[in-house]
Amino acid sequence: MKLNKKKNFEYIIVSTIYNESEYKYNEKNGEKQEKPDFILKRNNEMEFGVEVTELYYNETSARLKKRKKYVEDIKKGEVDKRDIKPLHINSLYLDIGNDNEPNYQFLFNKFTIPEYTENDYKKAIINRLEEKRNKSKEYERNLAYIELVIYDTESFFYDYSEEETICFLKKNSDILNLIEQTIFKNVYIMTMINKKPNTIKIRNNQYQRNFKKLK
């Protein structure tokens, strides 16, 4: 299955959860397969869909992670205007002129990477879930069900224990309530917990009702 860079990255994510030794990837899968991103089948069961999405705190965080050498570019003065305020850009200049005629030469940009909080992470998850919920009516309707895989680029739980991660989800029950308002049978969050790769599986107890409503 020949895939472009974006689709191949999604495929790597999906195959981590749905191993090819157990799941058959439909021949329709490929660069043109969208809404949802992949169609899979297990044994003689009906086909189901998998939607893949990446999680960032915001667009600024996404650009810092996805653009190669963006940090170096910012220092050189090549910065996206939308990132000036979030990064607190401060340009430094050197005056090489004289008392009668100043001549300011750009040196570099100083900036600060934001320190994100637990609330920022919560907002990021909710925003991503709401976006996928709103787009779910565009998905193929001849599938048994659809699942969502969220690839957490922020690794917010990196220093959390498994118990602390579970506590976070229980404490922020509005995330779980929102999942139950989607059509996704299960939501997987691929992340880092206690410095190790891990996957959080959240079962949607209401998916059957929601999926029938969509159809």
Side-chain angles (χ1 to χ4, degrees):
M1 185 164 54
K2 188 176 181 181
L3 304 173
N4 59 29
K5 185 177 181 180
K6 176 180 180 296
K7 197 71 174 182
N8 187 63
F9 180 68
E10 293 175 343
Y11 169 75
I12 293 172
I13 293 172
V14 170
S15 60
T16 301
I17 297 175
Y18 309 94
N19 195 291
E20 282 190 294
S21 63
E22 188 175 3
Y23 293 90
K24 178 182 178 182
Y25 285 66
N26 192 290
E27 63 271 8
K28 289 188 290 185
N29 288 317
E31 294 178 4
K32 294 183 180 180
Q33 174 60 42
E34 298 289 344
K35 301 178 184 178
D37 293 310
F38 292 89
I39 296 175
L40 282 69
K41 186 176 182 180
R42 184 181 183 184
N43 300 325
N44 295 322
E45 298 174 3
M46 291 182 63
E47 292 180 330
F48 68 95
V50 179
E51 180 71 6
V52 183
T53 190
E54 295 177 67
L55 179 69
Y56 298 92
Y57 286 121
N58 49 36
E59 291 184 358
T60 296
S61 180
R63 282 187 283 272
L64 286 169
K65 289 179 171 63
K66 296 179 79 171
R67 289 189 184 180
K68 291 183 178 180
K69 299 182 179 179
Y70 187 42
V71 171
E72 288 79 2
D73 291 340
I74 293 172
K75 292 178 181 178
K76 294 186 293 185
E78 301 171 13
V79 55
D80 190 301
K81 292 181 180 179
R82 293 169 292 183
D83 297 330
I84 292 175
K85 186 176 180 180
L87 296 178
H88 303 286
I89 301 291
N90 183 21
S91 300
L92 300 183
Y93 294 86
L94 176 65
D95 183 2
I96 59 174
N98 51 50
D99 293 338
N100 297 322
E101 186 177 358
N103 182 6
Y104 294 100
Q105 297 292 318
F106 174 79
L107 293 178
F108 57 89
N109 277 333
K110 290 182 64 179
F111 62 95
T112 303
I113 302 293
E115 292 187 12
Y116 295 103
T117 65
E118 185 176 284
N119 194 49
D120 292 318
Y121 186 77
K122 173 185 171 181
K123 287 180 179 179
I125 292 179
I126 288 176
N127 289 340
R128 184 59 70 219
L129 286 170
E130 288 179 339
E131 177 186 318
K132 292 302 175 181
R133 179 187 61 179
N134 294 336
K135 290 184 177 180
S136 60
K137 291 184 179 180
E138 302 174 8
Y139 297 155
E140 293 185 30
R141 300 192 179 189
N142 59 337
L143 301 170
Y145 56 87
I146 299 176
E147 299 193 319
L148 176 65
V149 178
I150 301 175
Y151 181 75
D152 176 15
T153 71
E154 303 295 353
S155 299
F156 181 78
F157 299 113
Y158 185 82
D159 290 321
Y160 281 48
S161 66
E162 290 187 5
E163 292 76 15
E164 289 170 330
T165 303
I166 293 171
C167 181
F168 168 87
L169 292 170
K170 288 182 176 179
K171 181 173 64 176
N172 295 285
S173 58
D174 41 349
I175 295 174
L176 304 179
N177 293 336
L178 180 55
I179 288 175
E180 293 195 347
Q181 296 173 29
T182 72
I183 66 164
F184 303 113
K185 181 179 179 180
N186 294 300
V187 174
Y188 298 88
I189 303 176
M190 292 183 64
T191 186
M192 298 283 288
I193 300 176
N194 197 19
K195 302 178 177 62
K196 297 178 182 178
N198 209 324
T199 299
I200 302 168
K201 179 181 179 180
I202 304 174
R203 190 179 302 277
N204 180 356
N205 296 323
Q206 300 295 321
Y207 98 91
Q208 206 163 20
R209 175 177 62 82
N210 294 335
F211 199 69
K212 287 180 179 178
K213 185 177 180 181
L214 174 68
K215 288 187 173 183

